[in-house]
Amino acid sequence: MNDDDALLTPQEMAAADQAAVLAGHSGATLMENAGAAVARAVRDRWAPRPVAVLCGPGNNGGDGFVAARHLALAGWPVTLALLGSVESLKGDAAHHAALWQGDVLPLAPSVLEGAGLVIDAVFGAGLARPVEGVAAATLRAAIDRGLPICAVDTPSGVDGHSGEVRGMAAPAACTVTFFRKKPGHVLLPGRALCGELVVADIGIPESVLGTIKPRAHENTPASWLPRLPWPRIDAHKYARGHVVVMGGEVMTGAARLSALAAARIGAGLVTLAAPRAAWPVYAAALTSIMVQPVTDERSFADLLSDTRKNAIAIGPGAGISDATRAHVQAALATRRAVVLDADALTAFTDKSATLFHAIHGPCVLTPHEGEFGRLFDRAGDKMARARRAAQRSGAVVLLKGADTVIAAPDGRVAINANAPPDLATGGTGDVLTGMITGLLAQGMDPFDAACAAAWMHGAAAAAHGPGLIAEDLPGLIPRVLRGLKNDGRPAAS
């Protein structure tokens, strides 16, 4: 994982603050830097106007007092309102409240009268209870008035760990957080409520990450690009791996999309195993992809007896049947790299233990939420569910969505946040399955392959933009690969 992309839970961020204090950075200074960063973000984005700074009873409120002081010194008209009393503030928040020279009003919707901007410093990312009462009423009034909001750390009510909303939250035009993002900044619905996200350096030394050892990060190329397989000058097609995609009899397009994506992302050879009845359809539609007819489970196993066929994809268009389950078990029995998606997962509804018991080699499961619920417990937030599923199954689990979560059995988690809404169309998941399988065939680690494919999948969709259909994606993969290769970072040997 790349430390620059680390995502810190609220508990880990508290540990980072404490480690910084132990290293000689005072809490008051860190708060001063945080509030100043908020004021700077406001000045950079808005012309001077009356601003209402809404402060809470904790350190988030302390940041608000600092921001208010800096804006007032810059000549902005500032109204400051506090939830609770100044006398109840403690520690660094009390210190900075004492430096504020203006009035402190009680938090209420009335403090928004005449305001042209709101700073939401009521509650931070570690909030453990719903936003309600006067805080909720004041934030709702800001929404009703259409006032732009700059949130401190997270919009009040957004859980920094899960991105879930506790009670209510006012959408921010800009959110200023500190040192590193939190999972709630990239998971939905939190991501949609943060607006533009600014990560401010407030003086916490990078070295604290060595103590915290965060297990979650945002999925960016920096985390896996050094291990992305590029063709060597002496490479041949077998050295680049041989993918097998199992096709179905009826929904033939799904497996074709997977096969094309596997080839585009660099697999040296791709074979589509087609049921004999549908073989003419596949053979007529594909050119660079080999099409091999299979009649039953035994013939599929015979196809896999060639050990050069080192990565197998099953699920897209496969059909929910005993045959699909048998194909999955035959693939897993090879202990080669296997990607299971769609029907290959649904076929094991109420038989998840059988599936998990068969996983011994490299394996990636790519469920959407519905498929996930047929195999796994859906209790808890998305990151926790994916992590628990990976540990239970022994496979990398890529839980799809606009905030795709990729979890490894060892507890690592990556959150992919670059997917545009244009991907919400049939067949795009089949392309992703092929991309992951193609990277596995070239020797990439399952977690890295899932992360790299998810990011490139999003980048390809963004390169196309509106009007995207699944057939567009394989042809866009080379453009994304060129961009990655030309950015100057080292490729895998």
Side-chain angles (χ1 to χ4, degrees):
M1 291 187 179
N2 179 9
D3 282 348
D4 289 343
D5 300 320
L7 297 171
L8 301 187
T9 66
Q11 294 76 18
E12 288 171 335
M13 187 62 207
D17 283 333
Q18 184 60 32
V21 170
L22 292 174
H25 303 265
S26 77
T29 298
L30 296 176
M31 186 172 286
E32 174 70 23
N33 294 342
V38 173
R40 185 164 54 251
V42 167
R43 294 197 306 271
D44 288 346
R45 286 159 181 79
W46 288 280
R49 64 190 67 192
V51 56
V53 181
L54 313 180
C55 295
N59 284 343
N60 218 52
D63 297 338
F65 273 96
V66 176
R69 174 162 48 83
H70 279 267
L71 288 172
L73 288 172
W76 288 51
V78 177
T79 299
L80 187 146
L82 175 64
L83 180 64
S85 66
V86 173
E87 293 74 24
S88 65
L89 296 175
K90 298 178 182 178
D92 300 322
H95 168 78
H96 283 291
L99 298 178
W100 168 246
Q101 299 298 308
D103 294 332
V104 178
L105 303 178
L107 189 69
S110 59
V111 302
L112 302 176
E113 290 294 334
L117 175 71
V118 173
I119 293 179
D120 172 10
V122 184
F123 300 116
L127 180 68
R129 64 183 186 276
V131 176
E132 53 192 10
V134 69
T138 305
L139 292 169
R140 285 198 184 95
I143 296 171
D144 292 342
R145 293 167 186 254
L147 295 172
I149 297 173
C150 178
V152 179
D153 198 17
T154 61
S156 293
V158 171
D159 187 316
H161 180 90
S162 67
E164 296 170 346
V165 173
R166 295 185 177 274
M168 63 85 62
C174 173
T175 296
V176 183
T177 194
F178 314 111
F179 184 53
R180 290 295 186 276
K181 296 179 187 178
K182 297 174 179 65
H185 291 130
V186 290
L187 289 167
L188 293 172
R191 188 173 91 210
L193 294 167
C194 287
E196 179 189 359
L197 186 64
V198 177
V199 182
D201 177 4
I202 60 171
I204 297 175
E206 302 283 323
S207 59
V208 304
L209 294 172
T211 301
I212 296 169
K213 294 181 172 55
R215 301 294 283 163
H217 72 283
E218 185 174 0
N219 184 30
T220 68
S223 295
W224 42 260
L225 185 57
R227 297 176 297 284
L228 190 67
W230 301 105
R232 295 171 58 102
I233 194 168
D234 58 349
H236 51 80
K237 59 189 176 185
Y238 289 105
R240 298 180 67 185
H242 190 158
V243 167
V244 174
V245 178
M246 184 68 221
E249 283 194 20
V250 179
M251 298 184 67
T252 61
R256 282 183 277 162
L257 287 168
S258 296
L260 286 169
R264 282 293 190 186
I265 210 161
L269 291 161
V270 180
T271 293
L272 197 150
R276 186 169 292 279
W279 180 85
V281 175
Y282 288 107
L286 299 169
T287 50
S288 61
I289 308 300
M290 295 178 285
V291 182
Q292 178 70 40
V294 295
T295 55
D296 53 25
E297 293 85 350
R298 179 158 190 166
S299 64
F300 182 62
D302 289 343
L303 176 66
L304 298 182
S305 65
D306 181 352
T307 57
R308 293 176 298 181
K309 295 180 173 70
N310 64 336
I312 307 155
I314 305 178
I320 303 167
S321 64
D322 292 342
T324 295
R325 282 194 296 275
H327 291 146
V328 169
Q329 290 173 310
L332 292 172
T334 68
R335 301 199 176 204
R336 294 173 220 155
V338 176
V339 180
L340 302 178
D341 182 28
D343 293 343
L345 302 174
T346 300
F348 285 89
T349 302
D350 300 325
K351 297 179 178 65
S352 59
T354 300
L355 172 61
F356 304 154
H357 182 72
I359 296 173
H360 299 290
C363 185
V364 181
L365 311 181
T366 62
H368 57 54
E369 287 284 2
E371 293 156 353
F372 184 92
R374 294 170 195 139
L375 295 177
F376 300 106
D377 173 17
R378 296 185 69 173
D381 63 80
K382 190 169 186 177
M383 188 168 65
R385 288 187 286 117
R387 181 177 274 143
R388 194 167 58 242
Q391 291 167 343
R392 184 182 173 208
S393 65
V396 170
V397 173
L398 184 151
L399 180 50
K400 291 187 281 198
D403 53 351
T404 289
V405 175
I406 305 147
D410 63 8
R412 287 174 295 162
V413 169
I415 302 173
N416 194 76
N418 78 329
D422 308 278
L423 278 171
T425 186
T428 58
D430 304 321
V431 175
L432 178 60
T433 293
M435 293 172 72
I436 298 169
T437 314
L439 292 174
L440 289 169
Q442 297 171 79
M444 207 169 190
D445 164 86
F447 184 72
D448 281 343
C451 290
W455 188 90
M456 286 190 274
H457 191 245
H464 187 283
L468 176 79
I469 59 174
E471 288 93 327
D472 298 322
L473 285 171
L476 292 163
I477 294 171
R479 175 176 173 179
V480 176
L481 288 170
R482 283 194 299 272
L484 291 169
K485 193 169 188 179
N486 293 335
D487 75 352
R489 283 179 280 189
S493 60

